[in-house]
Amino acid sequence: MTDEPVPVAAPRVVSLYNAANALTVVRLVLVPVFLAMVVTSQMTDHDWRVGACLAFCVASATDFVDGWIARKWQLVTSFGKIADPIADKALTGTALVLLSAYDVLPWWITLAILIREWGITGLRFWVIRYGVIPASRGGKLKTGLQTLAIAWYLWPVPEPFDAVGTWVMYAALVVTVVTGFDYVLEALRLRRSARNV
């Protein structure tokens, strides 16, 4: 009696053309649109500032939605793994640099956040062959606080309520730095466990 080969299910192939990736592309496309609106507004024109804030919020919303769609319907692709963090950093980085360029946000805050963000993105690519470092709760809180602070700065909020944006940004900065250390430790653990297998 011979053993018959057991059929093996083919690996699931996820199309590059899916809703999650489409939202990531939308976010990338909105970055230059947002930039143009801020430059046109010079951070002084009320209507253009409102438009820039809305463009930023819509782009930020796609970040939350595309990740949820990718996980919910198992639409994770190599493109998404690479393009999603790049789109996130491009949007946030553009917003922070513009705010500092127009003297709305101190440059040291922008530089501190950008160094952390691009550093962690580079770290994720460094360990991507060992596995994906998922966004932690702290990372999601960081993103939420950054988004809220940037939107607050962009929207023409009257005094004295405009000061709220500063405090939210300080909170975002603290969470950004703390979670940065957490991601470094997680990356080292992931790399170490993969080598021990």
Side-chain angles (χ1 to χ4, degrees), residues 14 115 122 142 167:
V14 179
I115 289 170
K142 176 268 304 178
W167 291 106

Side-chain angles (χ1 to χ4, degrees), residues 5-117:
V6 178
V8 179
R12 184 173 183 269
V13 178
V14 179
S15 172
L16 185 66
Y17 305 100
N18 62 59
N21 286 347
L23 286 172
T24 300
V25 172
V26 167
R27 187 157 68 261
L28 284 167
V29 170
L30 281 174
V31 172
V33 174
F34 163 70
L35 186 152
M37 286 182 165
V38 174
V39 171
T40 303
S41 78
Q42 297 289 301
M43 289 303 290
T44 57
D45 184 280
H46 179 279
D47 293 340
W48 280 107
R49 281 183 68 178
V50 169
C53 183
L54 292 176
F56 175 79
C57 289
V58 169
S60 297
T62 65
D63 179 28
F64 291 98
V65 177
D66 67 359
W68 177 78
I69 289 175
R71 290 186 298 273
K72 177 80 173 175
W73 282 281
Q74 298 178 359
L75 298 175
V76 177
T77 63
S78 296
F79 171 81
K81 289 178 185 177
I82 295 172
D84 184 67
I86 290 175
D88 298 344
K89 305 311 176 269
L91 178 64
T92 304
T94 299
L96 292 170
V97 168
L98 286 170
L99 289 173
S100 291
Y102 286 106
D103 295 323
V104 178
L105 182 69
W107 274 107
W108 69 268
I109 293 180
T110 292
L111 292 174
I113 292 176
L114 290 183
I115 289 170
R116 183 275 191 197
E117 295 291 359

Side-chain angles (χ1 to χ4, degrees), residues 168-181:
V168 176
M169 183 58 80
Y170 283 139
L173 178 63
V174 171
V175 176
T176 298
V177 173
V178 171
T179 56
F181 286 113

Side-chain angles (χ1 to χ4, degrees), residues 104-178:
V104 178
L105 182 69
W107 274 107
W108 69 268
I109 293 180
T110 292
L111 292 174
I113 292 176
L114 290 183
I115 289 170
R116 183 275 191 197
E117 295 291 359
W118 286 104
I120 296 304
T121 299
L123 190 68
R124 280 182 154 141
F125 288 142
W126 180 56
V127 298
I128 199 168
R129 59 183 164 179
Y130 304 112
V132 176
I133 303 176
S136 64
R137 288 184 181 179
K140 291 175 182 176
L141 175 62
K142 176 268 304 178
T143 301
L145 287 171
Q146 285 182 4
T147 301
L148 177 59
I150 291 170
W152 203 281
Y153 278 118
L154 291 169
W155 193 269
V157 179
E159 295 181 352
F161 303 107
D162 58 338
V164 173
T166 302
W167 291 106
V168 176
M169 183 58 80
Y170 283 139
L173 178 63
V174 171
V175 176
T176 298
V177 173
V178 171

